[in-house]
Amino acid sequence: MNKIEIDINQRDFCYTCYRPSVSCMCKYINKIETKTKFIILMHPKEFKKTKNGTGQFTKNTLSNSELFIGIDFTNHAKINALLEDSTNDCYLLYPSETSLNLSNEKVPSEKNIVIFIIDSTWPCSKKMIKSSKNLQKLKMLSFDADKLSEFKIKKQPNEYCLSTIESTQYIIELLNKQNIENNTKEELSNMTKPFKKMVEYQLECLKRRKDPRYK
């Protein structure tokens, strides 16, 4: 992980989920094994948003995953090693006119599948791709979401935009249907538990702030 300064404001801090200890969600993490390797590329601004943390939840949930923080990954040694490995078939989760739509298309590969997922806002995601020449060369993936995000504490660009952990859950569900993955419904349902508990916690905090009894 890149060395990025964390402002913990002198509070106890969890260095697993990178949240203040009082709002740590690690006890809700349920590890998931996948054949597919997931690489989460987190923008530095996202790393500092302790109220969000869905990229970190995703990484902590998936055993076969790594998380890297940055903007320009052109010369990132570990990423380039994955891209240059002839046994890997690498994809970037990003909608485009030429992206492979997992909702109705099968991943045409018998190699090890590696999926890169950008954890950032849409404007910052575009900047990361524009800056990273190696990411520009990747085949792109997309899917058709048929459910709304449960990220009630964050305004999404449109109603079908999902958080990083919700998107990853959706991808694994689709890979299950293609017999590439073999995860149970219970595993997938539990995958987003830390995310849902985080949202519940934040909503409760907002409620308390508005309640005159706590002022």
Side-chain angles (χ1 to χ4, degrees):
M1 182 176 289
N2 302 33
K3 291 182 179 179
I4 293 183
E5 184 178 349
I6 305 173
D7 177 15
I8 61 175
N9 298 321
Q10 306 300 317
R11 295 179 295 178
D12 290 335
F13 207 77
C14 175
Y15 286 92
T16 301
C17 66
Y18 290 91
R19 296 176 59 83
S21 296
V22 68
S23 62
C24 172
M25 298 293 154
C26 290
K27 63 183 177 182
Y28 301 114
I29 294 287
N30 295 277
K31 282 287 187 180
I32 291 180
E33 302 288 340
T34 60
K35 296 177 183 177
T36 303
K37 186 175 184 66
F38 290 90
I39 305 296
I40 296 100
L41 304 178
M42 182 183 287
H43 192 282
K45 289 182 179 179
E46 203 67 27
F47 181 78
K48 296 177 181 179
K49 296 177 183 177
T50 57
K51 290 182 180 180
N52 295 348
T54 69
Q56 194 66 50
F57 288 155
T58 306
K59 192 271 176 188
N60 292 348
T61 298
L62 300 175
S63 297
N64 192 11
S65 70
E66 292 185 80
L67 186 152
F68 302 113
I69 301 168
I71 297 174
D72 184 355
F73 296 95
T74 302
N75 299 311
H76 196 288
K78 288 187 176 181
I79 289 176
N80 286 330
L82 288 168
L83 299 179
E84 293 164 6
D85 188 336
S86 61
T87 65
N88 291 336
D89 204 358
C90 300
Y91 296 86
L92 175 66
L93 179 65
Y94 201 81
S96 74
E97 293 182 357
T98 59
S99 63
L100 187 152
N101 191 321
L102 281 176
S103 296
N104 49 51
E105 297 179 80
K106 186 176 176 62
V107 178
S109 177
E110 295 183 359
K111 297 183 179 181
N112 300 318
I113 299 173
V114 181
I115 298 179
F116 289 80
I117 298 177
I118 296 178
D119 184 42
S120 181
T121 62
W122 283 105
C124 287
S125 295
K126 291 178 181 178
K127 182 177 181 180
M128 290 166 72
I129 294 174
K130 187 176 181 180
S131 301
S132 306
K133 293 181 174 60
N134 48 358
L135 298 185
Q136 295 171 17
K137 299 176 183 178
L138 286 174
K139 293 171 285 187
M140 294 189 177
L141 289 180
S142 65
F143 58 81
D144 297 327
D146 59 5
K147 60 183 178 182
L148 302 181
S149 175
E150 295 187 56
F151 214 160
K152 300 171 185 176
I153 58 173
K154 181 179 179 181
K155 185 177 180 180
Q156 300 288 13
N158 66 64
E159 62 179 2
Y160 285 102
C161 286
L162 303 178
S163 67
T164 298
I165 195 166
E166 290 173 303
S167 295
T168 308
Q169 179 195 51
Y170 212 102
I171 290 170
I172 298 173
E173 288 176 353
L174 292 171
L175 293 176
N176 266 2
K177 292 179 180 179
Q178 296 185 18
N179 295 319
I180 292 172
E181 298 296 343
N182 186 31
N183 300 98
T184 66
K185 289 183 178 179
E186 183 179 7
E187 282 181 317
L188 291 173
S189 177
N190 286 334
M191 180 176 173
T192 54
K193 191 171 184 178
F195 162 68
K196 292 176 180 177
K197 290 295 183 180
M198 177 195 72
V199 172
E200 288 178 12
Y201 174 82
Q202 294 296 341
L203 289 175
E204 182 60 28
C205 287
L206 288 172
K207 182 180 177 182
R208 289 169 67 93
R209 289 194 195 110
K210 294 177 181 179
D211 191 330
R213 292 176 297 174
Y214 296 99
K215 293 183 179 179

